[in-house]
Amino acid sequence: MTQKQLRRAARRIAEAALGAVDPSQALRRGVQRRGTQLTVGARRHQLADYDRVVVIGAGKAAASMAKEMELLLGPLLWGGLIIVNRGAALPLDQIAVREAGHPVPDHDGVKAAGELLQLARSCTARDLVICLLSGGASSLLSLPAGRLTLDEVQRTTSLLLGCGAAIGEINTVRKHLSAITGGRLAQAVDPATLITLAISDVIGDRADVIGSGPTVPDSTSYSDALAVLSRHGLEPQLPPAVIDHLREGRRGLLPETPKPADLLFADARRRPQYEIIANNRDALNAAVTEAKHLRFHPWLLTDALSGEAKEIALVYAAIGREIVAHGQPVRPPACVIAGGEPTVTLTTDQAGHAPTAGYGGRNQEFALSAAMAIDGIERLLLLSLGSDGCDGVAPPGRHEAAGAFADGTTVARGRALGLEPERALIRHDAYPFFDRLGDLLITGPTRTNVMDLHLLLVT
């Protein structure tokens, strides 16, 4: 197979994976209506028993999910409100759509989250509330708690995103700075009947981590949030008000997030229903099926890839070299498939400020690191992409990339153009490198999010 053929195959496998986690299809699989009976998972709800059916939600997939809910419920839907990342809105008839900043929250997000919380609080025991949740909801629902300001939450979010912390750690902190996540949205909706339909973007599909768990009990505490900041050396760099807020919570001066033992969640008659309708494993399984169809021998490595992107990429590259050299652990033509969410750590100076990073994201960094490790090796292609179609930041005027391709010629082709892959990796500036080579994968917003996909094809 030529490199052109390998790229075509990788694209087809990636498209099959993304198609399997399309929000509309996922919702249709998980929810059915017959007359006034709504079946969600294994539970049935008689819509005639409610005065209103209200749809709320947030996340990158919320618009597609909401559009499908409008089609499914028709005139039985009262209305609702969803919040999506800027550029991801869709025209809806009955559900209001608000756009907000992501991954760092903005004023539009604060305003929209306040509006959503007000709607939730207006619901009564005669209402059925369906919450549509997907990746990105944590920043879109960043309604600062207590006396905290948006600026303080923004600064904290930026530091957390750049310190190499895992998403569970990041959300432990964010839940304790928010007035709506960490189970507080469920509290606001109570006593209405609440159903959450979630598309998972976290390793292990933990409901209390997806979107910072607005509709489920929170097992973390203010002490845990402070421990995260201490573990990553962030306390000296954070706004004093954030530290004061968390310390007041630890002393019991602020209410904790609702816990599993709280009546709302412990009482089976009141406990909200929670269903995950799509996740990374669904995408990976579809990738396996398509790889077989294209006559590759697939090996599904894991759906829990984590750690520093540039380091994990070296392991992935080593697997490729092993297949090329010895036909192990899977014989060619091979397709190694993995999913997960590696991280990128931005170093900071003594004042706690991150250096000006370049353009691109963890998938482009993953691909660049792998390219350096497979330099000169033929018969091999790697594709790393974010399932949401947006990997990091693009230069002004350029399209956002989902990720990038890398092969044994990537480094040599770059050097021939005067590019320095080592410098690009150090500066977290992979986008311009791959852009010059024509090796970016640009899909546009996919309106879904199930973490990242990594494909390694060997002939």
Side-chain angles (χ1 to χ4, degrees):
M1 251 188 201
T2 66
Q3 283 294 325
K4 186 175 181 179
Q5 290 171 321
L6 280 177
R7 288 193 180 212
R8 190 179 301 120
R11 282 181 177 272
R12 286 186 57 178
I13 294 169
E15 288 169 0
L18 294 177
V21 292
D22 174 77
S24 298
Q25 293 188 33
L27 195 143
R28 285 195 292 270
R29 289 193 300 266
V31 184
Q32 295 84 39
R33 178 173 76 87
R34 180 171 296 178
T36 60
Q37 180 176 279
L38 191 71
T39 302
V40 182
R43 294 177 60 178
R44 296 175 180 176
H45 301 266
Q46 183 52 249
L47 300 181
D49 293 340
Y50 300 99
D51 291 339
R52 300 188 303 174
V53 179
V54 180
V55 171
I56 60 175
K60 297 176 182 179
S64 295
M65 296 167 76
K67 191 174 186 67
E68 190 63 32
M69 286 304 304
E70 286 193 340
L71 293 172
L72 180 70
L73 294 173
L76 299 177
L77 173 63
W78 175 82
L81 170 68
I82 60 165
I83 311 172
V84 300
N85 51 305
R86 195 158 283 109
L90 289 173
L92 300 176
D93 295 324
Q94 297 160 277
I95 302 170
V97 184
R98 304 287 184 263
E99 291 186 312
H102 176 275
V104 178
D106 62 7
H107 288 284
D108 289 336
V110 171
K111 181 179 178 181
E115 189 179 352
L116 189 147
L117 187 61
Q118 184 176 8
L119 173 59
R121 286 172 173 162
S122 74
C123 295
T124 72
R126 294 285 302 169
D127 293 330
L128 172 65
V129 179
I130 301 173
C131 180
L132 309 175
L133 195 63
S134 59
S138 292
S139 62
L140 300 173
L141 293 174
S142 287
L143 184 62
R147 299 184 299 274
L148 293 174
T149 66
L150 174 61
D151 288 345
E152 291 160 348
V153 172
Q154 288 175 324
R155 170 68 175 158
T156 304
T157 301
S158 296
L159 285 168
L160 284 167
L161 293 174
C163 75
I167 188 64
E169 293 180 303
I170 294 172
N171 286 356
T172 293
V173 177
R174 291 199 284 198
K175 283 185 282 192
H176 289 87
L177 303 179
S178 169
I180 192 170
T181 60
R184 292 188 173 98
L185 182 57
Q187 282 185 323
V189 167
D190 189 54
T193 299
L194 174 61
I195 303 170
T196 300
L197 303 174
I199 294 179
S200 172
D201 68 327
V202 304
I203 291 173
D205 298 337
R206 287 180 50 190
D208 62 332
V209 179
I210 300 170
S212 292
T215 60
V216 296
D218 179 29
S219 60
T220 68
S221 65
Y222 285 102
S223 294
D224 293 325
L226 285 165
V228 169
L229 301 179
S230 177
R231 188 156 54 246
H232 292 279
L234 296 182
E235 284 191 355
Q237 306 165 43
L238 288 170
V242 169
I243 301 300
D244 290 344
H245 175 85
L246 295 175
R247 287 175 176 168
E248 287 179 11
R250 183 173 60 183
R251 294 199 302 270
L253 301 179
L254 298 174
E256 254 293 359
T257 49
K259 305 304 178 192
D262 288 4
L263 185 60
L264 172 59
F265 301 107
D267 186 344
R269 294 169 298 177
R270 298 177 58 190
R271 186 183 305 133
Q273 183 179 0
Y274 194 100
E275 301 288 342
I276 294 177
I277 60 173
N279 61 12
N280 187 259
R281 177 62 66 157
D282 293 330
L284 299 185
N285 287 339
V288 167
T289 299
E290 184 63 17
K292 288 179 180 177
H293 178 73
L294 295 175
R295 301 188 182 282
F296 286 90
H297 300 122
W299 181 33
L300 203 170
L301 181 60
T302 182
D303 64 357
L305 209 61
S306 64
E308 193 70 19
K310 63 184 179 182
E311 303 298 336
I312 299 298
L314 298 180
V315 178
Y316 219 58
I319 294 172
R321 294 200 305 269
E322 183 71 12
I323 296 172
V324 169
H326 305 293
Q328 297 292 336
V330 57
R331 70 184 188 279
C335 180
V336 182
I337 299 166
E341 193 164 75
T343 54
V344 171
T345 302
L346 302 177
T347 56
T348 56
D349 59 23
Q350 291 182 345
H353 300 293
T356 302
Y359 297 102
R362 60 178 179 259
N363 285 282
Q364 293 161 69
E365 186 152 320
F366 187 104
L368 182 56
S369 179
M372 295 167 64
I374 61 175
D375 184 27
I377 301 176
E378 299 177 353
R379 301 166 39 206
L380 186 152
L381 174 79
L382 178 138
L383 171 60
S384 181
L385 69 146
S387 60
D388 60 356
C390 175
D391 181 48
V393 180
R398 304 296 292 172
H399 292 291
E400 292 178 332
F405 296 94
D407 59 40
T409 70
T410 298
V411 169
R413 287 186 290 121
R415 294 195 194 283
L417 294 174
L419 303 174
E420 301 178 30
E422 297 88 355
R423 179 176 174 81
L425 191 62
I426 291 171
R427 291 175 56 83
H428 309 291
D429 197 29
Y431 187 109
F433 185 94
F434 286 113
D435 192 23
R436 287 283 303 277
L437 296 179
D439 287 350
L440 291 171
L441 176 67
I442 298 177
T443 63
T446 63
R447 293 191 171 88
T448 192
N449 186 19
V450 292
M451 302 189 291
D452 299 336
L453 305 173
H454 310 282
L455 305 176
L456 181 66
L457 278 61
V458 186
T459 61

